[in-house]
Amino acid sequence: EMQLAESGGGLVQAGGSLRLSCAASGITFDAYAIVWFRQAPGKKREGVSCIDSRFDEPSYVDSVKGRFTVSSDNAKNTAYLQMDSLKPEDTAVYYCAAAGDCRLLQADDTSYVEIWGQGTPVTVSS
């Protein structure tokens, strides 16, 4: 069974850091791009970052550039999202997902995603 499992969410004060992990099983990990999404209460799900080990540069949306860093360890079938300088507006449930590539990171339509994780909540207090 193809699965993605996020971990590492929690409560942190503004300015703090968290590292999310996305562990994959049942898939050929390095054949996929791993996309990180988030969904804040009352808002639509948005893509925030994407990494595809077949290409050099990861992708970020403007709101997290310079604060979030995405990485992956193919040997461990795990991707990571290091989140620094967190802000209250980063509060959301964070999901990792597997997709064919990173080209649609900022698309409203998420139907290109092939596998979703269950999500991990992140709360940033002011």
Side-chain angles (χ1 to χ4, degrees):
E1 183 180 3
M2 299 182 292
Q3 288 187 328
L4 298 174
E6 303 92 336
S7 61
L11 173 64
V12 63
Q13 288 188 329
S17 298
L18 284 173
R19 188 176 83 152
L20 306 183
S21 299
C22 172
S25 59
I27 67 171
T28 303
F29 185 73
D30 58 4
Y32 290 89
I34 298 299
V35 190
W36 286 95
F37 291 87
R38 66 185 181 187
Q39 188 165 18
K43 296 188 177 181
K44 64 182 180 181
R45 194 170 297 187
E46 63 169 346
V48 295
S49 184
C50 184
I51 186 166
D52 187 336
S53 61
R54 297 164 293 184
F55 301 98
D56 291 333
E57 294 295 323
S59 304
Y60 302 94
V61 295
D62 287 345
S63 60
V64 306
K65 278 182 182 176
R67 300 189 299 121
F68 289 12
T69 304
V70 66
S71 61
S72 66
D73 185 337
N74 290 347
K76 296 182 178 180
N77 284 358
T78 301
Y80 304 95
L81 185 67
Q82 176 68 41
M83 305 186 296
D84 299 317
S85 302
L86 282 162
K87 304 175 181 180
E89 51 263 43
D90 295 317
T91 295
V93 177
Y94 283 72
Y95 301 86
C96 66
D101 55 54
C102 292
R103 288 177 295 174
L104 297 177
L105 173 63
Q106 300 191 53
D108 289 338
D109 182 358
T110 60
S111 62
Y112 69 97
V113 169
E114 298 181 38
I115 309 163
W116 287 98
Q118 83 285 353
T120 186
V122 171
T123 302
V124 183
S125 62
S126 56

